[in-house]
Amino acid sequence: MKETTTKSPAKFALQFGVLFGVIMVLEFVILYVVDVDPLEMPLVGTLMNVLNYLILPIAFISIACINYRKQNSGFITFGESLKIGVVICLIASLISSIFSVIWNMIFPEYMQTVLRKTREVMLDQNPNMTSEQVDVALSMTEKFMSPAILIPVSLLMFCLIGLIYSLIIGAIVKNTPPTTF
């Protein structure tokens, strides 16, 4: 019989969360380096959203839960699956949002470029908007990009995503050890 693992689910999920976070950072940097703007190419923006909010979380949570189960004598509880999924998404979100804050401090002109392009897109999509409406919308966008709001909202959103996917994946992969009397 295999030896059960002494590693907690949260510590086990840490490496997958770091990898997920680094992948999201690399996606951003690659798009910046090759000068691809998701606002000008909506297909790229949609693809990145599907990748970061659907494909990658499901893949990392599934792989982590299955690997944890293998290392734990073939057993994983529903709760352990939930811990693994939420921790993966929490760590990835933390890395991604902290990178975003640091990026905006190093390159403050990037934020101004994003806001300028957002203004252009808003006016192209709705030419009837008054300049006051555009200014209000841009000020809200700028507030949501501030570190005080960006980091908590990102963490909350990714934890919710991790919870939802973990509920589904946990129901599929769970294998609780038999109880003895």
Side-chain angles (χ1 to χ4, degrees), residues 80-125:
E80 290 169 336
S81 296
L82 290 177
K83 286 178 194 173
I84 288 171
V86 171
V87 168
I88 287 172
C89 288
L90 177 74
I91 298 298
S93 171
L94 194 60
I95 291 170
S96 177
S97 57
I98 288 174
F99 170 80
S100 180
V101 168
I102 292 170
W103 179 271
N104 289 332
M105 286 192 305
I106 294 172
F107 300 108
E109 69 277 359
Y110 178 76
M111 180 66 66
Q112 297 309 314
T113 303
V114 169
L115 290 173
R116 182 182 45 78
K117 288 180 180 179
T118 302
R119 175 185 288 276
E120 291 170 7
V121 169
M122 286 170 53
L123 290 173
D124 285 345
Q125 290 178 351

Side-chain angles (χ1 to χ4, degrees), residues 13-119:
L14 182 67
Q15 63 191 2
F16 291 97
V18 169
L19 184 60
F20 181 19
V22 168
I23 288 173
M24 287 195 298
V25 167
L26 287 175
E27 289 171 356
F28 176 82
V29 171
I30 289 170
L31 287 179
Y32 180 78
V33 168
V34 297
D35 198 28
V36 173
D37 185 9
L39 290 174
E40 292 174 1
M41 299 176 71
L43 183 62
V44 172
T46 302
L47 179 65
M48 298 311 297
N49 285 334
V50 168
L51 192 63
N52 290 334
Y53 299 113
L54 182 68
I55 296 170
L56 288 176
I58 290 173
F60 278 111
I61 293 169
S62 299
I63 292 167
C65 287
I66 291 168
N67 285 341
Y68 182 81
R69 185 177 67 185
K70 285 179 185 175
Q71 290 186 8
N72 198 26
S73 301
F75 299 114
I76 185 170
T77 65
F78 193 68
E80 290 169 336
S81 296
L82 290 177
K83 286 178 194 173
I84 288 171
V86 171
V87 168
I88 287 172
C89 288
L90 177 74
I91 298 298
S93 171
L94 194 60
I95 291 170
S96 177
S97 57
I98 288 174
F99 170 80
S100 180
V101 168
I102 292 170
W103 179 271
N104 289 332
M105 286 192 305
I106 294 172
F107 300 108
E109 69 277 359
Y110 178 76
M111 180 66 66
Q112 297 309 314
T113 303
V114 169
L115 290 173
R116 182 182 45 78
K117 288 180 180 179
T118 302
R119 175 185 288 276

Side-chain angles (χ1 to χ4, degrees), residues 106-164:
I106 294 172
F107 300 108
E109 69 277 359
Y110 178 76
M111 180 66 66
Q112 297 309 314
T113 303
V114 169
L115 290 173
R116 182 182 45 78
K117 288 180 180 179
T118 302
R119 175 185 288 276
E120 291 170 7
V121 169
M122 286 170 53
L123 290 173
D124 285 345
Q125 290 178 351
N126 192 352
N128 297 330
M129 285 183 82
T130 65
S131 63
E132 184 178 291
Q133 290 173 323
V134 171
D135 290 340
V136 168
L138 288 176
S139 71
M140 290 300 292
T141 302
E142 194 169 10
K143 285 179 186 174
F144 275 99
M145 295 170 96
S146 73
I149 296 178
L150 175 75
I151 292 174
V153 168
S154 176
L155 292 174
L156 183 64
M157 182 180 63
F158 268 94
C159 284
L160 182 62
I161 288 169
L163 179 66
I164 292 168

